[in-house]
């Protein structure tokens, strides 16, 4: 995790959690001179648009005071949804057995993109089954990962 993201996490997670929600994760995406700060929240009863608006107001106030992002940005608060992004080892552990798609920061075994069933976790590596081949992928190499929703059930 980048130092900037760690600082945002440290600043925003307590605000979200004090409101009774789970802080799922965040993404800060640069888009030229502008950026998008996307904060994911979750709750056992689901997330409503009003929940997102309430959390957005609280987070926006903290960001206005602390001013941790030097460029112009848009704040977006969202549910992780069915194709939820994965940020932490706990989230990977909870997702064992699920189909996931991920992109690595650098090639591993000649490729950066993988899609397969998450078989388990071994120390700091994911065990991913892709087309009958098991890969042991270091978590620190993962740039982005998310659940692949299953609509067959």
């Amino acid at each position: 995790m980048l130092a900037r993201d760690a600082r945002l996490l440290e600043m925003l997670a307590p605000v979200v959690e004090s409101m009774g929600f789970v802080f799922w994760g965040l993404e800060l995406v640069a888009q030229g001179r502008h950026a998008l700060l996307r904060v994911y929240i979750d709750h056992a009863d689901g997330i409503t648009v009003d929940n997102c608006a309430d959390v957005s107001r609280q987070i926006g106030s903290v960001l206005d005071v602390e001013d941790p992002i030097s460029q112009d940005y848009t704040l977006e608060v969202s549910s992780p949804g069915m194709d939820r992004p994965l940020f932490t080892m706990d989230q990977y552990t909870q997702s064992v057995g699920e189909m996931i798609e991920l992109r690595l920061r650098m090639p591993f075994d000649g490729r950066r993109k993988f899609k397969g069933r998450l078989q388990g976790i071994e120390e700091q590596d994911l065990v991913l089954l892709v087309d009958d081949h098991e890969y042991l992928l270091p978590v620190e190499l993962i740039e982005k990962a998310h659940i692949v929703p299953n609509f067959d059930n």
Side-chain angles (χ1 to χ4, degrees):
M1 177 179 280
L2 298 172
R4 171 202 67 207
D5 292 352
R7 181 165 181 244
L8 287 168
L9 174 74
E10 182 180 295
M11 187 182 311
L12 302 180
V15 175
V16 170
E17 290 166 0
S18 73
M19 295 178 71
F21 299 101
V22 173
F23 182 89
W24 189 261
L26 64 81
E27 298 171 327
L28 182 60
V29 182
Q31 302 170 323
R33 292 187 199 147
H34 199 80
L36 172 65
L37 174 59
R38 186 174 294 126
V39 176
Y40 295 100
I41 62 171
D42 205 3
H43 192 276
D45 296 332
I47 296 296
T48 67
V49 172
D50 289 339
N51 297 149
C52 292
D54 292 343
V55 171
S56 180
R57 278 191 290 280
Q58 290 298 317
I59 288 175
S61 296
V62 170
L63 292 170
D64 287 346
V65 170
E66 297 293 329
D67 199 24
I69 303 171
S70 59
Q71 66 194 106
D72 290 338
Y73 66 93
T74 300
L75 172 62
E76 179 183 297
V77 176
S78 174
S79 159
M82 291 180 68
D83 61 341
R84 53 189 52 222
L86 302 171
F87 297 100
T88 67
M89 283 303 287
D90 283 344
Q91 292 169 354
Y92 287 112
T93 301
Q94 293 169 19
S95 302
V96 169
E98 299 278 355
M99 287 293 290
I100 67 170
E101 197 166 24
L102 59 85
R103 183 175 65 228
L104 302 176
R105 287 185 175 84
M106 56 190 358
F108 183 89
D109 203 23
R111 59 195 278 192
R112 289 185 60 207
K113 293 182 181 183
F114 293 83
K115 180 179 178 181
R117 187 155 314 277
L118 182 57
Q119 298 292 95
I121 311 289
E122 289 186 12
E123 296 183 23
Q124 294 297 307
D125 297 333
L126 302 184
V127 180
L128 192 66
L129 182 63
V130 179
D131 300 328
D132 297 326
H133 181 79
E134 260 189 13
Y135 290 91
L136 205 57
L137 301 171
V139 171
E140 72 266 5
L141 290 184
I142 297 174
E143 183 177 317
K144 195 170 191 166
H146 68 91
I147 298 288
V148 176
N150 179 359
F151 298 106
D152 293 334
N153 294 339

